[in-house]
Amino acid sequence: MRLVEPLAERAGDVEGALALCEEVVARRPDMPAALMQLALLRRKAGRLGAAVEALRRAVAVSPEDEGTASLLGSYLNEAGRAAETERLLAPYGDRKDAALDTLVARGAALAQLGRTREARASFDRAVAADPSRALTLVQRATVEMMAHDDAGARADLEAAVARDDRLALAHHTLGLLAARGGDEAEAERRFRRALALDGGNYDAMLNLGSLLAHRGRRSEAQPLLARFVEGAPASVYAREIAQARAWLRKVATSVLGPDTALTKND
């Protein structure tokens, strides 16, 4: 256990902390806390698959630890493996006293699987468990948009912003809602706010760039889309990166019309 303690002191050296944690786990493969730390460090180092593997081992060692299971579910969702999340979390989520993080991760998985009614029910329980948590309201709003309940989504998003005006995801989702309703000025305002709050929000970067391109403002759109192409992870945005790159190439050769747009939601 003494080897785990220096990890906090080496927070600025992820690879060094990871190597140390790997050593701890090699010595104590049945220590849930070390496996959890290993998963967090692997995720921070960009090794999502290896992080999932570490959390699977932690759950196997301590299946009663719902917090570890819900974190594994979140990582599986991030990896696009929602069906595995649902199988993992169903026994926990069906309990009357299911933890908030379990309800959220399961709701996100059900949404990925297209089971919007069940997803919304899971998020309803999560909101009831902690009405003050703004992020949960945003996540429920996303499911409501999938179900074409724009009024419900707007109410949840406005409530989320009222609780935390610095939640970039809430502003970005309000931008999507505004764009869907044809209010381009409001969509631009919300996308800009999201990007100001979180400069690495690639969804906002892409959607703002596309909106500006659609409105004929190429000089503003180009740097945004160039940043998106350079920085967005291909594992998540492969199609969108290809589209943005093609748009930029056509702009450079003056082949593209000023109202040609692309969005992540096309």
Side-chain angles (χ1 to χ4, degrees), residues 248-266:
L248 289 165
R249 189 163 49 245
K250 289 177 182 177
V251 167
T253 56
S254 301
V255 173
L256 201 59
D259 61 348
T260 303
L262 75 165
T263 70
K264 189 173 188 293
N265 303 295
D266 279 348

Side-chain angles (χ1 to χ4, degrees), residues 191-260:
F191 291 152
R192 285 192 183 281
R193 176 66 171 154
L195 205 53
L197 291 168
D198 178 8
N201 187 322
Y202 292 111
D203 289 337
M205 199 179 297
L206 172 63
N207 285 319
L208 177 58
S210 177
L211 180 62
L212 293 170
H214 178 75
R215 303 184 85 182
R217 292 155 63 183
R218 285 194 198 175
S219 62
E220 296 174 75
Q222 281 179 275
L224 285 165
L225 293 175
R227 279 172 57 199
F228 173 79
V229 167
E230 291 169 6
S235 59
V236 179
Y237 297 96
R239 182 174 68 91
E240 292 81 10
I241 289 171
Q243 290 176 331
R245 185 175 285 120
W247 188 91
L248 289 165
R249 189 163 49 245
K250 289 177 182 177
V251 167
T253 56
S254 301
V255 173
L256 201 59
D259 61 348
T260 303

Side-chain angles (χ1 to χ4, degrees), residues 65-94:
D65 187 344
E66 187 176 348
T68 301
S70 64
L71 182 61
L72 173 56
S74 295
Y75 282 12
L76 288 168
N77 286 342
E78 187 177 347
R81 295 156 64 179
E84 294 177 58
T85 300
E86 168 58 5
R87 287 195 296 271
L88 170 72
L89 295 184
Y92 302 95
D94 288 343

